[in-house]
Amino acid sequence: MKRKLWLYSYIALVSLAALCTSACSGGGALSTGEDAGDTIRMDHSALLRIIEREGHTDVEVRDPWDSAAAPRRYCLTHEGGEGFHNDRDITIVRVPLRRAAVFSGIHCALMGELGAEKSVAGVCDPQYIHSPFVAEGIADGSIVNLGNSTSPNVESIIALQPDALMPSPYGDGRGYGRMASLGIPIIECSDYMESSPLGRAEWIRFYGRLLGKGALADSIFSDIEEDYRMARQTARTADDKPSMICELPIGGTWYMPCAESTMGIMYKDAGARYLFDDKHGAGSIPLSIEQALERGMNADAWLIKHHGRLTRSDILGECPLAQAIKARIWVCNTETSGYYEDIPFHPERLLENLVYIFHPELARKPKKTYFCPLE
């Protein structure tokens, strides 16, 4: 009997030790051996986990391409603090960032909004960045041109000595070549892989903490969330849902966003009847022009994004069969509207514009207009 009791006690102790070990290792989650910290509630992002602790912030970014893969983990060490992690899989980042190499104009625009323009020390593809402070920095030499974002100039990066690299990874092409061996923290900006408009916008809270602007970023996102909710609620009160299609064919193929894509969700939230909402997925689906026209010729609205001015003649020149489409055409000039810089972190602005297009009798004129009537 005593032997059995001893055996049961031993098993219980081993099980408890294993449980504790599992809890400390976190099963891939961040752990420092300290208190649990303050986990920031993320209501929309499916990829981010942020825990604020005494002297540093832990961030976990899930792999959007492989749910079974280990997440990217960062320890944001506040100024004057020390890195608490010895784990080689955890990247120590000294914050706030002072000299960041930013690969995307989208993130340059966000850093400008957060009042952190001076933290941008280098950029890729400056010819595609519309933030005025970047052009001024390139001109006066305070911001370095690092070349193409897909193959940046490593020598220029070495000379710049940034405190972080901020690329936007694409699928499995995340080896980063020589950049990975420079000893510079790489912050993967995979926000565009979020499955909802507000999910991507919520990344502003991560970027804010990288820049020492956490409270400001939280406040901005709170306003974004509320304005988006109000616009969506306005659309839900509409009696009718106008039908719609979007985009232009390219080389004989018409790419339509799927129902679960960011734009598919946006069209639904704007109170439209998107004619391809039965195409499920988070990306776009390629259709022939004939397939697109089969449904789209009787649409009420046709939304087109285009770099530069667009006329009806341009549209018919690209796609003569579009003559059959009866919809009113709305065009967003991405060259001048700031669409690509604004919308990733301000989906509420686009939603307000769309609700006004589909339900002008219910919605107030938006603060900023992206889509305008073709004629």
Side-chain angles (χ1 to χ4, degrees):
M1 184 67 178
K2 288 182 179 180
R3 180 177 176 81
K4 287 185 178 180
L5 286 174
W6 177 86
L7 182 60
Y8 292 155
S9 299
Y10 175 76
I11 292 172
L13 285 171
V14 170
S15 299
L16 181 60
L19 182 62
C20 290
T21 301
S22 175
C24 291
S25 65
L30 290 166
S31 174
T32 62
E34 308 171 39
D35 59 83
D38 182 15
T39 299
I40 305 301
R41 177 174 172 173
M42 308 296 288
D43 289 323
H44 306 280
S45 171
L47 301 177
L48 280 179
R49 181 172 177 242
I50 302 175
I51 304 174
E52 291 189 331
R53 306 184 191 275
E54 185 69 30
H56 69 286
T57 301
D58 287 333
V59 180
E60 184 178 273
V61 180
R62 295 176 181 85
D63 189 321
W65 296 278
D66 183 359
S67 59
R72 297 281 179 170
R73 297 185 291 169
Y74 305 95
C75 174
L76 312 187
T77 303
H78 303 170
E79 195 167 24
E82 294 294 332
F84 291 92
H85 293 284
N86 294 319
D87 191 332
R88 288 187 301 174
D89 293 331
I90 296 177
T91 301
I92 306 294
V93 185
R94 306 292 178 182
V95 296
L97 298 180
R98 304 291 189 189
R99 294 176 55 78
V102 187
F103 288 35
S104 162
I106 294 169
H107 299 103
C108 287
L110 177 61
M111 292 171 76
E113 181 177 0
L114 290 171
E117 299 98 328
K118 293 183 178 179
S119 295
V120 180
V123 298
C124 292
D125 301 315
Q127 67 272 26
Y128 301 121
I129 299 176
H130 297 145
S131 300
F133 78 89
V134 173
E136 294 168 5
I138 293 288
D140 65 24
S142 61
I143 295 178
V144 176
N145 181 354
L146 300 174
N148 190 296
S149 60
T150 59
S151 56
N153 188 312
V154 176
E155 283 68 30
S156 295
I157 292 175
I158 293 172
L160 182 64
Q161 286 296 296
D163 46 18
L165 305 175
M166 297 179 65
S168 295
Y170 294 96
D172 294 331
R174 305 159 72 193
Y176 300 118
R178 288 179 59 198
M179 290 194 300
S181 63
L182 298 180
I184 301 171
I186 297 177
I187 309 295
E188 288 198 344
C189 301
S190 49
D191 49 85
Y192 73 97
M193 288 298 295
E194 288 284 353
S195 58
S196 71
L198 287 175
R200 182 175 192 180
E202 198 163 21
W203 276 62
I204 190 175
R205 305 179 72 188
F206 174 31
Y207 298 130
R209 283 160 174 79
L210 285 169
L211 299 165
K213 305 279 186 177
L216 175 60
D218 288 347
S219 176
I220 291 174
F221 180 73
S222 180
D223 291 341
I224 292 169
E225 187 180 36
E226 177 62 15
D227 289 346
Y228 191 99
R229 185 192 64 78
M230 291 179 64
R232 182 174 56 194
Q233 185 57 40
T234 297
R236 287 175 177 172
T237 65
D239 294 327
D240 299 317
K241 291 186 176 182
S243 60
M244 62 150 294
I245 60 172
C246 60
E247 309 309 341
L248 277 173
I250 301 174
T253 302
W254 206 317
Y255 291 91
M256 292 287 185
C258 296
E260 289 80 33
S261 69
T262 297
M263 290 311 304
I265 293 170
M266 191 88 75
Y267 296 145
K268 178 180 178 181
D269 288 346
R273 183 164 59 88
Y274 177 45
L275 293 177
F276 294 89
D277 64 358
D278 61 336
K279 307 298 183 182
H280 296 290
S284 295
I285 185 170
L287 301 171
S288 69
I289 292 176
E290 291 74 19
Q291 287 175 311
L293 289 177
E294 184 179 0
R295 298 187 190 185
M297 66 173 54
N298 293 315
D300 298 313
W302 182 7
L303 272 59
I304 301 172
K305 296 191 299 293
H306 187 264
H307 186 76
R309 186 171 176 271
L310 187 70
T311 67
R312 186 176 295 274
S313 296
D314 296 329
I315 295 172
L316 296 180
E318 179 68 32
C319 180
L321 292 176
Q323 182 71 50
I325 299 176
K326 301 177 176 64
R328 186 177 188 185
I329 301 174
W330 300 78
V331 177
C332 171
N333 184 341
T334 59
E335 183 180 23
T336 58
S337 66
Y339 178 93
Y340 289 119
E341 290 81 6
D342 294 352
I343 301 311
F345 297 109
H346 281 285
E348 84 287 1
R349 296 177 183 174
L350 178 58
L351 185 63
E352 289 170 352
N353 187 189
L354 295 178
V355 173
Y356 186 73
I357 289 172
F358 299 134
H359 310 290
E361 75 285 359
L362 297 176
R364 62 186 180 185
K365 189 172 182 180
K367 300 171 188 174
K368 186 169 182 179
T369 299
Y370 298 94
F371 285 92
C372 301
L374 179 64
E375 298 173 350

